Amino acid sequence: MNDRTVTANLALTLDGRYHGPEGPNDFGAFVPYVSTEVARDHLSRIWESATTAVLGRNNAEGFLGYWSPVADDPAADPRDRGYAKWLVETEKVVFSTTLTEAPWERTRLVSAPAAEVITELKSTGDGDILVNSSATLIKPLLAADLVDRLYLMVVPEIVGGGRRLFDDGLPATKWSLSRQETGELGELALIYDRVR
């Protein structure tokens, strides 16, 4: 068994939300922080060792729609271009119960439980498996204790509503802070490694 490292990244507000009270597309609290120097450096770190991107269908549609043109945009920040190029070119596993054919290259569609798919991926291939900003996948993986590293961007806002990443009922686990960086706007880029 290769036992690849499973990493996950997500941006959260101070009250632990990954979107605001208006629903899954309410990212207003995050907008001021996503293009800071700290955020861009953090973005570069999340993919540098990853060879597989794992996404939910909604994130895949949004991310690939937004980032694909950035890969070839000479005016884009080099860190943004690097991430975009990686996302377009890397192996992608997209969870969907509605798509019958992947509209993106190097993509495999799956509709099995996240823990089963990740367990299978861990035993094949090389490089990290990055669960890319898909909380609906990160949550069951945390519940199954399959996440080895968390890349969190915490923004200094309380939104007062919306979904939380860390729900009650998760198993007790211990994490070690391996990196912390604070941006000029008060955003925190954090890397936590699971202590096993």
Side-chain angles (χ1 to χ4, degrees), residues 7-23:
T7 67
N9 76 295
L10 201 60
L12 301 172
T13 59
L14 280 180
D15 52 346
R17 320 282 181 167
Y18 55 89
H19 64 68
E22 300 301 316

Side-chain angles (χ1 to χ4, degrees), residues 5-151:
T5 299
V6 178
T7 67
N9 76 295
L10 201 60
L12 301 172
T13 59
L14 280 180
D15 52 346
R17 320 282 181 167
Y18 55 89
H19 64 68
E22 300 301 316
N25 294 318
D26 183 0
F27 296 114
F30 301 96
V31 171
Y33 310 98
V34 296
S35 61
T36 67
E37 292 300 306
V38 165
R40 282 191 163 122
D41 288 344
H42 188 65
L43 181 67
S44 295
R45 281 189 288 276
I46 70 169
W47 63 268
E48 64 189 359
S49 299
T51 57
T52 303
V54 175
L55 304 115
R57 179 189 55 83
N58 288 337
N59 274 9
E61 289 174 344
F63 279 30
L64 290 161
Y66 176 81
W67 287 104
S68 294
V70 175
D72 298 318
D73 181 356
D77 184 284
R79 293 164 292 186
D80 293 350
R81 276 199 319 273
Y83 171 74
K85 186 174 169 57
W86 170 82
L87 183 62
V88 169
E89 295 178 357
T90 198
E91 171 195 23
K92 290 170 281 297
V93 177
V94 175
F95 284 76
S96 176
T97 57
T98 57
L99 292 176
T100 57
E101 190 174 308
W104 315 285
E105 292 183 15
R106 292 172 284 287
T107 301
R108 176 169 57 115
L109 296 177
V110 295
S111 62
E116 289 179 17
V117 174
I118 294 301
T119 299
E120 175 193 325
L121 286 172
K122 281 177 66 80
S123 66
T124 60
D126 295 303
D128 292 352
I129 300 162
L130 171 61
V131 185
N132 203 2
S133 291
S134 295
T136 57
L137 300 175
I138 297 170
K139 286 179 173 197
L141 296 176
L142 286 170
D145 197 17
L146 286 171
V147 178
D148 301 303
R149 174 172 281 174
L150 282 169
Y151 292 94

